Amino acid sequence: MVDSCFVLLATRPSFWEETVFVVLLLLVILLLLVMFNKAALSSYNFPCANVITLLQMVCSTCLLYVLRKSKLISFTNSDPSVPSDALFFVPFRILLRTTPLSLAYLLYMLASMESVRGVNVPMYTTLRRTTVVFTMTMEYFLAKQKHTPPIIGSVALIVFGAFVAGARDLSFDARGYAIVFVANITTAVYLATINRIGKSSGLNSFGLMWCNGLVCGPSVLFLTYIQGDLKRAMEFPYLSSPGFQAVLLFSCILAFLLNYTIFWNTILNSALTQSMCGNLKDFFTVGIGWVLFGGLPFDLLNVIGQGLGFLGSGLYAYCKIKGK
């Protein structure tokens, strides 16, 4: 009921209609969020990625509080008009149970935000496509799930294409590349944790987001304070710029929508589907990234590498659908 209200649908859609809708919504949000975060960190040279993460968490938590206090939403599958006796709208035992998910989310947010800074948008999306490798690894260690040779072959094609595409990256940054791969690992852990804890917690997407904000918000605030990021952010020369403020505002709004759709998509489908959605959006991100941010020479080798990566993603999705 909550999902239907949130997307402003008059009636509950069928499973396939809901699946198509959430996947398309997720692709659009992922694309836009990468662009706005890249604009803030690179175009405006904002030095404090963690401050953006903190702003996103604060805005998300405040919005959830207002919506829940107004009884417009529920953090569980029960009626939102039913009062909650819990101090934080959810029982403390459930808050503790979701702590591993919240910590995984914290690492995912910090690594993903920082990874956008040091790599141009086309190469960022190329390297992020290798997330599927880490997702498969996490599925093996957490669920002992093994994959067939066609699946392994398609993943190998994705990785090979990423290396081919980056062979002539003139803006190579070892630190930036390393952070992107750390972001890949944290993304895989986060998605696997949603599947493992989120579905059994009794909370819906709003409830999981609320727990993430309660646990992660104070941690990010403390981190930004001891690192001096809050002071540097207040001294940022473009802080009062309407353009920069608009970028931050849209980044916070998109982060809220992204978190909701990630939970919705992963609970509705699987971590695997969520991982593939990230790959599908890359086609649009690469093209727009070239136009808006540049940084990567357009040559035949790069086009071949990008094509191999997209081909591998398509084969991977086909094999999973067919159960091969």
Side-chain angles (χ1 to χ4, degrees):
M1 180 189 67
V2 175
D3 289 346
S4 299
C5 295
F6 184 76
V7 298
L8 304 179
L9 295 178
T11 59
R12 182 68 177 180
S14 68
F15 173 79
W16 286 110
E17 288 175 340
E18 186 176 12
T19 299
V20 171
F21 177 83
V22 70
V23 167
L24 292 177
L25 178 64
L26 182 61
L27 294 177
V28 173
I29 294 173
L30 280 168
L31 171 63
L32 292 176
L33 184 59
V34 169
M35 294 303 169
F36 277 103
N37 286 344
K38 185 66 176 179
L41 296 173
S42 296
S43 298
Y44 283 97
N45 292 318
F46 187 62
C48 310
N50 291 342
V51 172
I52 298 180
T53 303
L54 177 62
L55 287 175
Q56 292 173 347
M57 288 184 178
V58 170
C59 291
S60 175
T61 304
C62 291
L63 180 58
L64 288 171
Y65 177 83
V66 172
L67 292 175
R68 180 62 184 86
K69 194 70 174 178
S70 303
K71 299 180 180 179
L72 297 176
I73 64 172
S74 173
F75 291 159
T76 64
N77 293 323
S78 61
D79 192 326
S81 63
V82 176
S84 173
D85 296 330
L87 178 62
F88 299 112
F89 295 123
V90 295
F92 186 69
R93 59 179 178 81
I94 294 182
L95 188 63
L96 287 179
R97 185 174 183 177
T98 59
T99 298
L101 174 60
S102 299
L103 295 178
Y105 169 73
L106 177 62
L107 295 176
Y108 157 74
M109 285 289 292
L110 295 177
S112 297
M113 181 64 69
E114 188 64 30
S115 66
V116 179
R117 182 195 302 275
V119 182
N120 56 68
V121 171
M123 279 310 303
Y124 170 80
T125 55
T126 297
L127 294 174
R128 286 288 277 170
R129 282 204 299 273
T130 61
T131 301
V132 67
V133 178
F134 301 98
T135 303
M136 290 175 59
T137 303
M138 291 305 303
E139 286 179 339
Y140 174 77
F141 282 109
L142 294 179
K144 300 301 179 182
Q145 181 177 350
K146 297 181 179 180
H147 298 278
T148 62
I151 291 292
I152 296 175
S154 62
V155 171
L157 185 59
I158 294 174
V159 176
F160 178 70
F163 281 105
V164 171
R168 294 183 182 177
D169 180 12
L170 301 181
S171 59
F172 177 81
D173 184 340
R175 179 180 178 275
Y177 278 37
I179 294 176
V180 172
F181 282 111
V182 171
N184 290 347
I185 296 173
T186 57
T187 300
V189 172
Y190 178 50
L191 296 179
T193 309
I194 292 177
N195 256 345
R196 192 175 183 87
I197 296 178
K199 292 183 177 181
S200 60
S201 65
L203 301 176
N204 58 24
S205 300
F206 291 121
L208 293 174
M209 291 170 61
W210 172 254
C211 291
N212 280 351
L214 292 181
V215 175
C216 300
S219 302
V220 178
L221 178 61
F222 178 74
L223 179 64
T224 54
Y225 176 76
I226 63 174
Q227 290 183 337
D229 286 344
L230 289 178
K231 182 179 180 180
R232 286 196 296 270
M234 295 301 297
E235 297 172 351
F236 185 61
Y238 295 106
L239 186 62
S240 59
S241 169
F244 179 70
Q245 292 176 354
V247 168
L248 287 184
L249 176 61
F250 279 105
S251 177
C252 292
I253 294 174
L254 290 167
F256 175 85
L257 295 176
L258 176 63
N259 290 332
Y260 178 82
T261 50
I262 285 178
F263 282 123
W264 186 7
N265 187 43
T266 305
I267 293 174
L268 180 66
N269 299 295
S270 66
L272 201 56
T273 303
Q274 171 61 36
S275 181
M276 291 309 302
C277 286
N279 286 336
L280 290 175
K281 74 131 181 9
D282 291 342
F283 176 79
F284 303 99
T285 309
V286 168
I288 296 176
W290 254 311
V291 174
L292 296 181
F293 302 106
L296 189 67
F298 184 86
D299 59 22
L300 181 60
L301 188 63
N302 188 271
V303 172
I304 293 174
Q306 296 285 355
L308 289 174
F310 293 130
L311 177 61
S313 298
L315 291 175
Y316 180 69
Y318 175 81
C319 291
K320 294 306 296 183
I321 291 174
K322 295 296 183 180
K324 296 181 180 181

